């Protein structure tokens, strides 16, 4: 029987946050449930834990989808707070020292990411001794590795340093080392599914939407790009099939959190204006069809959230085909190949909605650039438009050395739930 994502209640998630606040050992066990040994003693049990990772990542206000989209969009000016009574979102919108160590979005992204990593480690540590079917085990390793890599990658996007592991008083590593850690996890998963093809039985036992191999290569390309390993990023992006998609799927029990909490209520945050948070000279062309895809123009509000947050059950892409093409464009350019960099960029610039698996198309004339600097500026512009409200804008602003005035903060402070129990917690960044 197919196992769909469990509908964890907000109270359960809140309980995890309270538990983390009381104990920073990162031992996310459930005292009311079975022992860890019993909970992880069968293929079905391991699969249930792995499927739970998807729920932790994608659902509710404390899941990574909500927290990273809210944080990135507010800190980079893609969105503004409609109602200042939403204190935590408003701290991010104000930025700077207004973002406190107790902010629930900051704490939620940190704690849920660590929860995902902890549970993923338990699955990966036990899978080969528990699951005798190598093809089923292969799928379980690949699927679990996706959530672990995403959790590590999300932390690396928002903090200068991240925990090296789970446990008590753990040391920290740089966020660049964090991206490398995520890539190593992905490489292990790719080697595993290459050696043993994923069984159809496993695919039937997880939620629909996730294409394992393409997602692993797409995340490898993303994190290699973020860490400055352009050859690896280019190679991984070339392995992603443009005809296949991978999505976080929603249903009547687990709904699209941005639509449910933000778009439908118009009471938390909304799109700022037609500039899509870009400065003069980089703003969308008037004819850019991606603007009406991502932004609803009306009267209340004048500019509203659209795109992948337009319906209660709307699926959210894990990555966009355009992201992979823009990774290629940037990698070529940063390796001094302007010709191929421009070719790849123009694939995105000229792409129509009908040519894109998700309907994201600028449908513009091809652009021209003769220097690396000019081409990188155009790539930055089109990343920000093509991937609008995708949770990646803050990393892009830092990577492209955009002026600090274009964002509210560069990195998060470290949550008190970590600092109060870990003497290795780094000093908070000033901005």
């Amino acid at each position: 029987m197919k196992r769909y994502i469990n509908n964890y209640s907000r109270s359960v998630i809140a309980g995890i946050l309270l538990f983390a606040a009381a104990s920073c050992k990162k031992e996310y066990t459930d005292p009311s449930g079975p022992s860890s040994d019993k909970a992880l003693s069968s293929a079905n049990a391991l699969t249930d834990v792995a499927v739970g990772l998807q729920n932790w990542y994608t659902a509710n206000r404390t899941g990574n989808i909500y927290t990273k989209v809210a944080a990135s969009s507010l800190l980079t000016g893609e969105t503004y707070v409609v109602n200042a009574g939403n204190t935590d979102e408003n701290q991010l919108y104000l930025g700077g020292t207004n973002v406190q160590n107790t902010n629930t979005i900051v704490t939620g992204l940190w704690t849920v990411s660590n929860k995902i990593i902890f549970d993923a480690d338990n699955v990966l540590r036990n899978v080969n001794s528990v699951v005798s079917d190598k093809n089923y085990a292969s799928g379980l390793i690949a699927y679990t590795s996706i959530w672990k890599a995403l959790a590590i990658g999300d932390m690396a996007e928002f903090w200068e340093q991240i925990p090296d592991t789970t446990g008590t008083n753990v040391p920290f590593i740089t966020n660049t080392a964090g991206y490398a850690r995520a890539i190593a996890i992905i490489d292990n998963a790719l080697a595993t599914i290459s050696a043993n093809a994923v069984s159809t039985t496993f695919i039937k036992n997880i939620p629909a939407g996730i294409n394992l191999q393409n997602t692993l290569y797409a995340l490898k390309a993303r994190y290699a790009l973020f860490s400055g390993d352009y050859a690896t990023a280019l190679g991984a992006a070339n392995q992603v099939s443009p005809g296949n998609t991978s999505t976080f799927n929603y249903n009547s029990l687990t709904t699209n959190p941005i639509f449910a909490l933000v778009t439908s209520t118009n009471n938390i945050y909304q799109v700022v204006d037609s500039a899509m948070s870009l400065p003069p000279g980089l703003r969308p062309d008037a004819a850019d069809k991606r603007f009406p895809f991502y932004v609803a123009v009306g009267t209340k509000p004048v500019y509203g959230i659209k795109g992948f947050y337009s319906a209660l059950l709307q699926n959210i892409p894990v990555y966009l085909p355009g992201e992979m093409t823009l990774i290629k464009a940037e990698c070529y350019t940063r390796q001094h190949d302007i010709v191929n960099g421009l070719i790849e960029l123009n694939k995105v610039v000229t792409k129509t909605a009908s040519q894109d698996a998700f309907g994201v198309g600028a449908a513009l004339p091809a652009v021209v650039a003769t220097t690396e600097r000019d081409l990188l500026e155009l790539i930055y512009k089109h990343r920000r438009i093509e991937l609008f409200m995708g949770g990646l804008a803050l990393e892009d602003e830092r990577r492209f050395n955009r002026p600090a005035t274009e964002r509210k903060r560069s990195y998060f402070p470290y949550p008190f739930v970590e600092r109060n129990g870990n003497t290795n917690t780094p000093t908070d960044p000033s901005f």
Side-chain angles (χ1 to χ4, degrees):
M1 181 176 180
K2 195 171 189 177
R3 292 181 180 84
Y4 292 96
I5 297 176
N6 295 323
N7 185 32
Y8 287 85
S9 67
R10 293 186 190 179
S11 62
V12 172
I13 297 176
I16 286 291
L17 297 179
L18 289 172
F19 179 81
S23 172
C24 292
K25 296 180 180 179
K26 298 189 182 70
E27 298 292 338
Y28 297 91
T29 54
D30 180 0
S32 65
S35 69
S36 178
D37 290 342
K38 292 181 180 179
L40 302 173
S41 61
S42 70
N44 286 344
L46 287 170
T47 305
D48 285 340
V49 174
V51 169
L53 301 179
Q54 181 163 349
N55 188 85
W56 281 107
Y57 192 88
T58 61
N60 300 313
R61 189 176 183 270
T62 48
N64 286 31
I65 290 295
Y66 180 88
T67 52
K68 79 172 188 178
V69 170
S72 181
S73 68
L74 288 166
L75 290 175
T76 61
E78 289 178 328
T79 59
Y80 72 99
V81 170
V82 175
N83 178 358
N86 297 291
T87 305
D88 300 289
E89 284 84 357
N90 198 49
Q91 285 181 13
L92 298 174
Y93 176 60
L94 296 173
T97 57
N98 292 288
V99 182
Q100 299 178 13
N101 307 73
T102 54
N103 184 288
T104 60
I105 293 175
V106 173
T107 301
L109 184 59
W110 182 271
T111 307
V112 171
S113 293
N114 276 295
K115 160 69 176 172
I116 290 170
I117 294 165
F118 179 83
D119 283 354
D121 282 345
N122 280 335
V123 173
L124 295 172
R125 185 168 50 248
N126 286 276
V127 60
N128 286 324
S129 61
V130 171
V131 183
S132 58
D133 182 340
K134 290 187 178 298
N135 302 99
Y136 193 97
S138 178
L140 189 53
I141 290 169
Y143 180 69
T144 302
S145 295
I146 285 171
W147 307 110
K148 183 178 179 181
L150 277 167
I152 293 173
D154 288 351
M155 295 178 75
E157 287 181 46
F158 289 94
W159 282 276
E160 283 184 303
Q161 299 184 53
I162 66 173
D164 184 37
T165 185
T166 57
T168 303
N169 217 40
V170 299
F172 279 66
I173 58 176
T174 66
N175 64 337
T176 301
Y179 288 134
R181 179 73 53 79
I183 292 168
I185 293 161
I186 291 166
D187 281 341
N188 177 71
L190 286 168
T192 300
I193 62 176
S194 176
N196 295 287
V198 177
S199 71
T200 56
T201 301
F202 176 77
I203 297 299
K204 292 177 181 178
N205 283 345
I206 62 173
I210 302 294
N211 182 304
L212 297 179
Q213 180 168 293
N214 278 280
T215 299
L216 289 166
Y217 275 120
L219 294 180
K220 180 177 180 177
R222 178 186 295 173
Y223 297 143
L225 178 74
F226 289 174
S227 62
D229 186 350
Y230 303 121
T232 297
L234 179 60
N238 280 325
Q239 293 297 317
V240 180
S241 171
N244 291 325
T245 62
S246 195
T247 54
F248 304 120
N249 285 10
Y250 293 94
N251 54 46
S252 59
L253 295 178
T254 306
T255 57
N256 183 308
I258 308 296
F259 177 84
L261 298 166
V262 182
T263 313
S264 66
T265 66
N266 190 30
N267 189 47
I268 301 181
Y269 57 83
Q270 277 291 359
V271 176
V272 173
D273 55 28
S274 60
M276 298 178 82
S277 81
L278 290 167
L282 295 180
R283 291 172 178 171
D285 299 353
D288 195 327
K289 297 294 191 294
R290 292 170 299 187
F291 175 73
F293 177 88
Y294 281 116
V295 182
V297 180
T299 54
K300 288 187 178 182
V302 176
Y303 301 101
I305 294 171
K306 197 179 172 186
F308 300 107
Y309 316 121
S310 300
L312 193 63
L313 306 185
Q314 186 174 11
N315 301 330
I316 298 173
V318 181
Y319 63 90
L320 286 175
E323 180 188 0
M324 295 301 106
T325 307
L326 287 164
I327 287 174
K328 297 176 193 179
E330 184 175 345
C331 288
Y332 279 125
T333 305
R334 292 194 186 275
Q335 294 179 102
H336 316 300
D337 185 346
I338 298 176
V339 173
N340 281 308
L342 186 60
I343 288 171
E344 294 298 328
L345 173 61
N346 275 321
K347 289 178 182 177
V348 170
V349 172
T350 61
K351 173 167 57 77
T352 64
S354 63
Q355 295 171 318
D356 186 86
F358 293 99
V360 182
L364 294 169
V367 296
V368 176
T370 57
T371 68
E372 285 184 27
R373 181 178 178 178
D374 289 345
L375 185 51
L376 285 172
E377 188 170 70
L378 283 170
I379 290 168
Y380 172 75
K381 168 184 174 176
H382 288 283
R383 277 187 64 89
R384 292 296 307 276
I385 300 170
E386 184 85 3
L387 311 178
F388 186 70
M389 284 188 68
L392 306 176
L394 185 63
E395 179 64 61
D396 280 355
E397 288 206 353
R398 295 195 306 261
R399 287 191 312 104
F400 283 86
N401 296 313
R402 299 300 305 175
T405 53
E406 293 182 10
R407 55 186 175 274
K408 312 294 179 66
R409 270 195 81 95
S410 289
Y411 292 101
F412 277 160
Y414 297 92
F416 281 153
V417 295
E418 185 71 30
R419 185 174 300 286
N420 290 343
N422 186 349
T423 59
N424 294 312
T425 305
T427 301
D428 287 338
S430 59
F431 182 71

